[in-house]
Amino acid sequence: MISVQRIRRFGRRISGRRPSPPESPADVLLVQTTPLLTLPASPGEPGPAETAGPQSDKPDDAAPHRRVSVPEVGGRLRGGFGRMREVGALVVRPFQLALFQGDADTPPASRRLSIPVALPWLGTINLVQIAELILAYVLFGTTLSMVLDWNAEAGSRQIGEGFAYLTALAAGLPVALRDRWPLAAWRVAAVLAPVTIWVAVTVGRSGNGPPYLVPVVVMYLLVLYSVAVRCDRRITLAVWIITVLTAWIVHPNSMALVSVIVSVVVLFGYNVRTRRTATAKLAREERRTREAEGAQAALAERARIARELHDVVAHHMSVIAIQAEAVPLKAAGDPAQLEAGLAEIRGLSLEAIAELRNVLGVLRDQDGRTDTAPQPGFDRIDELVANARAAGLAVLVRRAGELDGLPPAVGLSAYRIVQESLSNAMRHAPGATVAVDISRDSDTIRVWVANGPGTAPTGGPANGATETRGAGQGLVGMRERAALLGGALEAGPSSDGGFEIRATLPIPDQESVS
């Protein structure tokens, strides 16, 4: 072993340098001459041979080394111990959960074999729990009778009756606990297992065979199945390992058979747990899907109500506003004409309120029932035309084909399209001439509404053609109504400076409507 500090001093003495102050112990490294323990130098880092200078002993044969401080070595050791602790924690944690800290899942909420009882303090009777209590009592009695008979024939190997009762309790109590507390039932069985094995070896008739009582074996397999079904897989694995190791310690010759039986029970229980988990996850996904569908239906209903409100409010408010502006000018101080105009405005207001009540009636009734009037259709087109003419529009109406007996959805959509078109004409082209054409083919309703340029001044756009550059909520609603029926709607400016709307509404078959 050669000190690096001593080599440096020797090199300085030869080169004529003054010796530097002694270095701290943390900077000193003993250079190991044995190749197995030599620390190689990092790339680009000079070794001690280069540090010693060109006149040092054996400069060509010296292996490169690097200086490692004591804190660095301690850090490496601490890191290694830290990884060992992590691995140890991963190995020990399942056994801690199985023996001391773990707990099982709650029992399933829904049980098929349950009978409701009228007694308030009893609630429901679970037939599965009753069957397990009966089985626990049978195992207790069978084990007690078996051990007492063996003890009577044991002669000098007799044991106290207390051990017989304790063995019987070890066979029955875990079965009574396994439905509600399966992991606690296994812990009870594990704690009392030495007693049952000792009793079987002392007074039993097993001879050289496995020292396991049949009722205790039945109990343990039932408890093991409950642990696999209701506990985490780490706990199940730890329980399986403890069981196999115990079987190897107690009776090595039967370890293979015990391992096979225990593994089958554990795998069967784990498979049941996996299926239950998948079923519960599927039920949660179905519930989320139903909630999403309900939210989507609510949004669709809100959109429908918004369209209805827009059509009702926009049309009637436009007519009322125009009437309120035109009545004083038309009356010109005549009280009779003024009274007639106000009465007409009142009638329009009442009609708007009635239609609003018709739209919002279903929202007020929590059961979904409503006593509102039927939705408007082709039979009320004349009312729209009368209101538009009263507001100053020259409306020409043409009907072609049989318009009676149509589905309510088709009649309502056509009514709303005509209503919105007349409202747009009143707002954007007051005083214009409006043409309304409603025709029916064999399976299609065609609605065409066109207005010319307005003749009266307005504060809004000059005509309906600029509607496409505005908010256009009315046009959007009309297109949605046509699309819901599988039809189409086209809107745009006409060649004479006005605006026109063309809608095609398919008539569904009566079977699909019903």
Side-chain angles (χ1 to χ4, degrees):
M1 303 289 290
I2 303 174
S3 174
V4 175
Q5 184 178 7
R6 184 175 301 173
I7 293 176
R8 289 181 177 178
R9 289 178 180 176
F10 179 74
R12 294 190 187 96
R13 189 179 299 112
I14 295 176
S15 59
R17 292 184 181 179
R18 297 182 58 184
S20 59
E23 300 178 356
S24 61
D27 296 332
V28 177
L29 173 69
L30 295 180
V31 179
Q32 180 69 28
T33 58
T34 304
L36 293 178
L37 299 180
T38 300
L39 295 177
S42 300
E45 182 179 356
E50 298 175 3
T51 306
Q55 301 179 7
S56 60
D57 298 335
K58 297 181 181 180
D60 297 331
D61 298 333
H65 297 81
R66 68 184 181 89
R67 186 170 54 190
V68 181
S69 63
V70 175
E72 183 177 354
V73 176
R76 292 182 180 180
L77 293 177
R78 285 193 298 270
F81 287 128
R83 285 190 292 271
M84 293 177 60
R85 284 196 299 268
E86 293 178 359
V87 174
L90 292 177
V91 175
V92 175
R93 182 59 178 169
F95 297 95
Q96 291 179 342
L97 294 175
L99 296 173
F100 308 107
Q101 302 175 356
D103 198 2
D105 298 339
T106 57
S110 61
R111 297 294 182 91
R112 297 179 180 178
L113 300 177
S114 300
I115 301 176
V117 181
L119 298 177
W121 54 273
L122 195 56
T124 59
I125 296 178
N126 194 316
L127 297 182
V128 175
Q129 293 179 351
I130 293 179
E132 291 186 348
L133 291 177
I134 295 174
L135 179 60
Y137 179 76
V138 171
L139 292 176
F140 176 86
T142 303
T143 306
L144 180 61
S145 176
M146 182 187 303
V147 174
L148 290 178
D149 291 343
W150 289 351
N151 195 35
E153 301 174 0
S156 60
R157 295 182 291 109
Q158 287 186 351
I159 60 176
E161 291 188 358
F163 289 101
Y165 281 96
L166 188 60
T167 304
L169 187 65
L173 180 60
V175 176
L177 297 177
R178 78 181 188 98
D179 182 73
R180 196 166 189 86
W181 303 286
L183 193 56
W186 177 81
R187 290 168 181 167
V188 171
V191 170
L192 296 179
V195 177
T196 61
I197 295 173
W198 177 77
V199 170
V201 171
T202 304
V203 300
R205 302 174 182 176
S206 59
N208 294 328
Y212 307 127
L213 301 178
V214 175
V216 175
V217 172
V218 173
M219 172 273 302
Y220 193 81
L221 293 180
L222 291 174
V223 172
L224 200 61
Y225 168 79
S226 298
V227 170
V229 171
R230 299 263 302 280
C231 294
D232 184 75
R233 59 184 178 182
R234 295 179 298 172
I235 298 177
T236 303
L237 179 61
V239 169
W240 180 83
I241 293 175
I242 293 174
T243 303
V244 173
L245 290 179
T246 303
W248 176 68
I249 294 172
V250 173
H251 195 265
N253 295 333
S254 63
M255 175 187 173
L257 179 62
V258 172
S259 300
V260 171
I261 296 176
V262 170
S263 300
V264 170
V265 173
V266 168
L267 290 177
F268 182 71
Y270 183 74
N271 182 42
V272 173
R273 175 181 176 83
T274 303
R275 292 182 59 184
R276 287 183 179 179
T277 303
T279 303
K281 184 178 180 180
L282 181 61
R284 289 194 297 269
E285 293 296 332
E286 290 179 352
R287 184 172 62 253
R288 292 174 183 173
T289 301
R290 289 194 299 268
E291 293 176 355
E293 291 177 351
Q296 186 67 26
L299 290 176
E301 183 65 15
R302 289 175 59 184
R304 185 191 68 81
I305 294 173
R307 287 194 301 269
E308 296 289 338
L309 288 176
H310 176 271
D311 293 341
V312 172
V313 173
H315 174 74
H316 288 88
M317 293 300 104
S318 298
V319 175
I320 291 173
I322 293 175
Q323 288 280 13
E325 184 179 357
V327 164
L329 300 177
K330 184 178 178 181
D334 187 357
Q337 291 188 6
L338 183 60
E339 184 178 355
L342 294 176
E344 188 173 356
I345 293 176
R346 180 177 180 276
L348 292 173
S349 302
L350 294 177
E351 183 179 352
I353 293 174
E355 291 200 23
L356 285 175
R357 185 181 295 112
N358 187 25
V359 173
L360 301 177
V362 68
L363 299 180
R364 294 193 301 267
D365 194 341
Q366 62 180 3
D367 297 329
R369 298 186 303 269
T370 177
D371 54 356
T372 55
Q375 294 287 345
F378 288 107
D379 55 340
R380 297 184 58 183
I381 295 292
D382 294 335
E383 298 180 12
L384 295 177
V385 173
N387 293 335
R389 288 171 177 170
L393 294 178
V395 184
L396 304 177
V397 181
R398 175 182 173 273
R399 295 181 176 90
E402 183 63 34
L403 300 180
D404 296 333
L406 293 174
V410 177
L412 175 62
S413 297
Y415 176 87
R416 294 303 187 193
I417 291 173
V418 174
Q419 184 185 51
E420 180 64 24
S421 301
L422 294 177
S423 299
N424 289 339
M426 283 186 286
R427 287 197 301 269
H428 303 295
T433 300
V434 182
V436 179
D437 188 297
I438 303 174
S439 60
R440 175 181 179 178
D441 297 339
S442 58
D443 56 353
T444 305
I445 294 293
R446 302 184 185 277
V447 179
W448 176 70
V449 181
N451 64 273
T455 59
T458 177
N463 51 54
T466 57
E467 179 73 12
T468 58
R469 294 190 296 268
Q473 297 301 320
L475 295 178
V476 173
M478 287 190 288
R479 289 193 178 96
E480 289 179 353
R481 288 186 180 277
L484 288 175
L485 296 175
L489 185 139
E490 297 178 358
S494 58
S495 58
D496 60 351
F499 200 81
E500 63 178 359
I501 293 175
R502 296 179 182 272
T504 303
L505 307 177
I507 302 175
D509 298 334
Q510 295 297 329
E511 291 80 3
S512 61
V513 174
S514 58

mmCIF file of all heavy atoms in Angstrom, residues 458-476:
data_model
loop_
_atom_site.group_PDB
_atom_site.id
_atom_site.type_symbol
_atom_site.label_atom_id
_atom_site.label_comp_id
_atom_site.label_asym_id
_atom_site.label_seq_id
_atom_site.Cartn_x
_atom_site.Cartn_y
_atom_site.Cartn_z
ATOM 1 N N THR A 458 -86.135 51.293 -41.399
ATOM 2 C CA THR A 458 -85.896 50.439 -40.235
ATOM 3 C C THR A 458 -84.505 50.696 -39.711
ATOM 4 O O THR A 458 -83.600 51.076 -40.456
ATOM 5 C CB THR A 458 -86.040 48.947 -40.608
ATOM 6 O OG1 THR A 458 -85.724 48.159 -39.470
ATOM 7 C CG2 THR A 458 -85.101 48.547 -41.736
ATOM 8 N N GLY A 459 -84.374 50.484 -38.411
ATOM 9 C CA GLY A 459 -83.056 50.687 -37.807
ATOM 10 C C GLY A 459 -82.137 49.519 -37.984
ATOM 11 O O GLY A 459 -80.958 49.602 -37.706
ATOM 12 N N GLY A 460 -82.678 48.396 -38.502
ATOM 13 C CA GLY A 460 -81.853 47.201 -38.671
ATOM 14 C C GLY A 460 -81.346 47.119 -40.077
ATOM 15 O O GLY A 460 -81.213 48.084 -40.801
ATOM 16 N N PRO A 461 -81.074 45.911 -40.551
ATOM 17 C CA PRO A 461 -80.593 45.714 -41.904
ATOM 18 C C PRO A 461 -81.646 46.093 -42.912
ATOM 19 O O PRO A 461 -82.832 46.168 -42.635
ATOM 20 C CB PRO A 461 -80.263 44.211 -41.944
ATOM 21 C CG PRO A 461 -80.088 43.823 -40.518
ATOM 22 C CD PRO A 461 -81.002 44.690 -39.757
ATOM 23 N N ALA A 462 -81.217 46.300 -44.109
ATOM 24 C CA ALA A 462 -82.129 46.752 -45.135
ATOM 25 C C ALA A 462 -83.102 45.689 -45.535
ATOM 26 O O ALA A 462 -84.225 45.967 -45.856
ATOM 27 C CB ALA A 462 -81.326 47.220 -46.354
ATOM 28 N N ASN A 463 -82.728 44.433 -45.532
ATOM 29 C CA ASN A 463 -83.627 43.360 -45.889
ATOM 30 C C ASN A 463 -83.130 42.081 -45.244
ATOM 31 O O ASN A 463 -82.132 42.049 -44.549
ATOM 32 C CB ASN A 463 -83.723 43.206 -47.417
ATOM 33 C CG ASN A 463 -82.367 43.105 -48.063
ATOM 34 O OD1 ASN A 463 -81.575 42.252 -47.665
ATOM 35 N ND2 ASN A 463 -82.072 43.952 -49.030
ATOM 36 N N GLY A 464 -83.868 41.007 -45.520
ATOM 37 C CA GLY A 464 -83.527 39.743 -44.877
ATOM 38 C C GLY A 464 -82.239 39.144 -45.347
ATOM 39 O O GLY A 464 -81.759 38.195 -44.761
ATOM 40 N N ALA A 465 -81.677 39.671 -46.447
ATOM 41 C CA ALA A 465 -80.449 39.054 -46.945
ATOM 42 C C ALA A 465 -79.308 39.186 -45.970
ATOM 43 O O ALA A 465 -78.411 38.362 -45.940
ATOM 44 C CB ALA A 465 -80.075 39.672 -48.277
ATOM 45 N N THR A 466 -79.293 40.208 -45.145
ATOM 46 C CA THR A 466 -78.192 40.393 -44.203
ATOM 47 C C THR A 466 -78.353 39.514 -42.984
ATOM 48 O O THR A 466 -77.505 39.530 -42.113
ATOM 49 C CB THR A 466 -78.137 41.870 -43.763
ATOM 50 O OG1 THR A 466 -79.388 42.228 -43.212
ATOM 51 C CG2 THR A 466 -77.817 42.765 -44.925
ATOM 52 N N GLU A 467 -79.419 38.756 -42.933
ATOM 53 C CA GLU A 467 -79.589 37.866 -41.777
ATOM 54 C C GLU A 467 -78.476 36.838 -41.688
ATOM 55 O O GLU A 467 -78.087 36.410 -40.607
ATOM 56 C CB GLU A 467 -80.957 37.170 -41.894
ATOM 57 C CG GLU A 467 -81.271 36.182 -40.765
ATOM 58 C CD GLU A 467 -81.591 36.874 -39.486
ATOM 59 O OE1 GLU A 467 -81.805 38.092 -39.494
ATOM 60 O OE2 GLU A 467 -81.627 36.199 -38.448
ATOM 61 N N THR A 468 -77.976 36.444 -42.853
ATOM 62 C CA THR A 468 -76.912 35.451 -42.839
ATOM 63 C C THR A 468 -75.626 35.995 -42.264
ATOM 64 O O THR A 468 -74.759 35.228 -41.865
ATOM 65 C CB THR A 468 -76.663 34.947 -44.272
ATOM 66 O OG1 THR A 468 -76.337 36.048 -45.107
ATOM 67 C CG2 THR A 468 -77.891 34.243 -44.818
ATOM 68 N N ARG A 469 -75.488 37.322 -42.202
ATOM 69 C CA ARG A 469 -74.270 37.899 -41.642
ATOM 70 C C ARG A 469 -74.450 38.307 -40.195
ATOM 71 O O ARG A 469 -73.521 38.779 -39.564
ATOM 72 C CB ARG A 469 -73.850 39.125 -42.480
ATOM 73 C CG ARG A 469 -73.442 38.776 -43.890
ATOM 74 C CD ARG A 469 -72.823 39.974 -44.568
ATOM 75 N NE ARG A 469 -73.760 41.083 -44.737
ATOM 76 C CZ ARG A 469 -74.504 41.257 -45.808
ATOM 77 N NH1 ARG A 469 -74.457 40.360 -46.797
ATOM 78 N NH2 ARG A 469 -75.314 42.283 -45.920
ATOM 79 N N GLY A 470 -75.663 38.152 -39.675
ATOM 80 C CA GLY A 470 -75.894 38.482 -38.285
ATOM 81 C C GLY A 470 -75.761 37.255 -37.415
ATOM 82 O O GLY A 470 -75.062 36.309 -37.718
ATOM 83 N N ALA A 471 -76.489 37.301 -36.309
ATOM 84 C CA ALA A 471 -76.450 36.174 -35.390
ATOM 85 C C ALA A 471 -77.037 34.942 -36.010
ATOM 86 O O ALA A 471 -76.526 33.835 -35.869
ATOM 87 C CB ALA A 471 -77.203 36.537 -34.108
ATOM 88 N N GLY A 472 -78.186 35.116 -36.767
ATOM 89 C CA GLY A 472 -78.739 33.999 -37.505
ATOM 90 C C GLY A 472 -79.294 32.889 -36.659
ATOM 91 O O GLY A 472 -79.323 31.744 -37.086
ATOM 92 N N GLN A 473 -79.714 33.154 -35.422
ATOM 93 C CA GLN A 473 -80.246 32.095 -34.579
ATOM 94 C C GLN A 473 -81.546 31.541 -35.123
ATOM 95 O O GLN A 473 -81.823 30.352 -34.985
ATOM 96 C CB GLN A 473 -80.438 32.623 -33.148
ATOM 97 C CG GLN A 473 -79.159 33.052 -32.462
ATOM 98 C CD GLN A 473 -78.157 31.933 -32.354
ATOM 99 O OE1 GLN A 473 -78.527 30.801 -32.088
ATOM 100 N NE2 GLN A 473 -76.895 32.241 -32.602
ATOM 101 N N GLY A 474 -82.351 32.401 -35.747
ATOM 102 C CA GLY A 474 -83.591 31.905 -36.328
ATOM 103 C C GLY A 474 -83.344 30.943 -37.474
ATOM 104 O O GLY A 474 -83.996 29.899 -37.591
ATOM 105 N N LEU A 475 -82.393 31.273 -38.348
ATOM 106 C CA LEU A 475 -82.049 30.366 -39.433
ATOM 107 C C LEU A 475 -81.474 29.054 -38.912
ATOM 108 O O LEU A 475 -81.752 27.979 -39.458
ATOM 109 C CB LEU A 475 -81.046 31.035 -40.368
ATOM 110 C CG LEU A 475 -81.550 32.273 -41.134
ATOM 111 C CD1 LEU A 475 -80.439 32.857 -41.967
ATOM 112 C CD2 LEU A 475 -82.751 31.911 -41.997
ATOM 113 N N VAL A 476 -80.661 29.127 -37.869
ATOM 114 C CA VAL A 476 -80.116 27.902 -37.280
ATOM 115 C C VAL A 476 -81.235 27.027 -36.742
ATOM 116 O O VAL A 476 -81.250 25.805 -36.939
ATOM 117 C CB VAL A 476 -79.104 28.253 -36.167
ATOM 118 C CG1 VAL A 476 -78.671 26.993 -35.426
ATOM 119 C CG2 VAL A 476 -77.899 28.958 -36.750
#
